[in-house]
Amino acid sequence: MRDLATLPKAHLHLHFTGSMRLDTLIELASSSRTRLPSSFLDGDPLRVPADRRGWFRFQRAYDTARALVRTEEVMRRIVLEAALDDDAEGSRRLEIQVDPTSYAPFVGGITPALEIILDAAKQATTLTGVEVAVIVAASRMRHPLDARTLARLAVRYAGDQPGEVVGFGLSNDERAGQTASWERAFAIARRGGLASMPHGGELLGPDHLREVVSALGPTRLGHGVRAGEDPTLLDAIIAAGISLEVCPASNVSLGVYRSPDDVPLRTLMSHGAQIALSADDPLLFQSRLVNQYEIARTLGCDDAELAELARGSIRASLASPSTKRAWLAEVDTWLATPDRRPETGSSGSREADVPESHALPEQGA
């Protein structure tokens, strides 16, 4: 088994605050005399059932971390550390997702907040060699008019280079609001040249996923994993060229599946889905990018299949065609190079730390 940390790959579903290192969070909490929930400190991933009470617990922990991000210095630090961590795990491209609204009060507004993150992404690209681009994400917990404001802001900074906005997303609890309410915001973003990156198909199943696909016209789906419950829908998503950002550890930690064995990764692969394995919120789930590939390995993926998953992440990224070709060639080299590591029983990273969790919720929970 080859070292998964050296496998070239792209990281396409990572939230800004959720990417924070635990040591950084503890340092920020100490300096502001903020008491952290025990779930951050007990050494176990956050585990919640996938119902509204469970999601609230997850969101409360996330909001606690986000409330500690109050300065430009901290915002820049988060971006740089995320890029450094990705670099250590073989990532060539990071497309980090952020809602600048959350940090605007501390730096003078949503425009300065976004500009800080974009500039930090450019600097991180230079310092680490990992291309860092930005996805601006609206929240389902805010009014759809706010999303239109964010879409117009994102378009102002749209581009195809590191340190520019490459996509527009919709995050938070996918059970909140009516999906069609955000259609106009996504239309603004698409007209401005941005890719469509909504969440969908994690907490809710195929019926809701159809709404997301129909109303928001995704380029990629954040999660989309529950398309595996409806082969006809899954095949239609694949035929439409929509890639899936699959986050196995997140799915288990949020109670969507009981264990990694239940994540339908093999089903998605067997239908030919283009998949980008991603970590989602490693701060809360204590499972980073390489861990997702380790989970795939435990599901029976051999090195050739893991290489194809890495290729899928690269192809699904918004990097330039020439850059993608170079990275794909690096994947071929990784696969062609015999494994010369000592037989340690590990892939070169810590073992996948995925909690046992809760049963799939009843529809409408």
Side-chain angles (χ1 to χ4, degrees), residues 74-200:
V74 172
M75 293 169 69
R76 290 180 177 276
R77 176 178 177 177
I78 290 172
V79 175
L80 177 58
E81 290 180 347
L84 288 168
D85 290 342
D86 263 30
D87 183 42
E89 295 191 293
S91 175
R92 303 298 193 264
R93 170 91 173 184
L94 169 59
E95 296 179 4
I96 194 165
Q97 188 166 150
V98 66
D99 178 356
T101 308
S102 302
Y103 317 99
F106 308 108
V107 294
I110 58 173
T111 299
L114 180 57
E115 288 179 342
I116 288 167
I117 292 167
L118 293 175
D119 190 59
K122 290 178 184 177
Q123 292 182 344
T125 299
T126 300
L127 291 171
T128 68
V130 177
E131 288 192 358
V132 183
V134 175
I135 298 166
V136 171
S139 172
R140 279 184 174 269
M141 308 308 289
R142 295 194 176 98
H143 197 281
L145 287 175
D146 293 339
R148 296 180 204 177
T149 299
L150 280 177
R152 294 184 184 97
L153 175 66
V155 166
R156 285 174 52 190
Y157 296 91
D160 57 7
Q161 299 298 312
E164 296 180 326
V165 178
V166 296
F168 185 72
L170 181 64
S171 62
N172 214 300
D173 189 343
E174 65 188 278
R175 297 163 296 190
Q178 298 295 319
T179 299
S181 300
W182 285 276
E183 187 171 1
R184 288 185 62 182
F186 276 81
I188 291 168
R190 280 195 299 274
R191 285 197 299 270
L194 296 176
S196 175
M197 313 289 200
H199 283 52

Side-chain angles (χ1 to χ4, degrees), residues 213-337:
V213 171
S214 174
L216 306 183
T219 307
R220 295 197 309 253
L221 278 166
H223 300 293
V225 68
R226 291 185 61 185
E229 299 170 15
D230 186 330
T232 300
L233 172 62
L234 176 57
D235 289 340
I237 287 171
I238 294 168
I242 301 169
S243 301
L244 307 179
E245 302 161 359
V246 177
C247 310
S250 170
N251 297 158
V252 175
S253 290
L254 290 177
V256 178
Y257 301 109
R258 290 183 178 88
S259 76
D261 291 341
D262 298 319
V263 177
L265 179 64
R266 301 288 301 184
T267 298
L268 303 178
M269 294 172 64
S270 69
H271 281 253
Q274 183 160 271
I275 295 167
L277 292 178
S278 301
D280 201 1
D281 294 296
L283 174 64
L284 284 82
F285 305 137
Q286 299 185 24
S287 185
R288 286 201 48 81
L289 180 58
V290 165
N291 297 127
Q292 314 313 308
Y293 285 82
E294 290 177 333
I295 292 170
R297 182 171 268 170
T298 67
L299 293 174
C301 291
D302 60 23
D303 282 0
E305 291 172 310
L306 293 167
E308 186 56 31
L309 285 169
R311 292 188 190 101
S313 72
I314 292 168
R315 294 184 183 117
S317 79
L318 297 173
S320 71
S322 61
T323 302
K324 289 184 184 182
R325 285 193 294 271
W327 293 337
L328 291 171
E330 291 178 2
V331 175
D332 293 340
T333 300
W334 179 87
L335 189 59
T337 303

Side-chain angles (χ1 to χ4, degrees), residues 25-104:
L25 178 69
I26 292 171
E27 179 185 326
L28 295 175
S30 177
S31 63
S32 64
R33 299 186 178 182
T34 298
R35 182 177 180 179
L36 293 174
S38 60
S39 59
F40 282 117
L41 307 173
D42 61 12
D44 288 328
L46 180 69
R47 306 171 186 178
V48 297
D51 57 21
R52 288 195 179 274
R53 182 180 177 85
W55 181 269
F56 174 77
R57 183 181 170 205
F58 160 75
Q59 193 62 53
R60 183 174 58 183
Y62 194 98
D63 289 344
T64 298
R66 183 163 49 195
L68 294 172
V69 184
R70 300 173 181 171
T71 68
E72 176 177 343
E73 178 186 7
V74 172
M75 293 169 69
R76 290 180 177 276
R77 176 178 177 177
I78 290 172
V79 175
L80 177 58
E81 290 180 347
L84 288 168
D85 290 342
D86 263 30
D87 183 42
E89 295 191 293
S91 175
R92 303 298 193 264
R93 170 91 173 184
L94 169 59
E95 296 179 4
I96 194 165
Q97 188 166 150
V98 66
D99 178 356
T101 308
S102 302
Y103 317 99

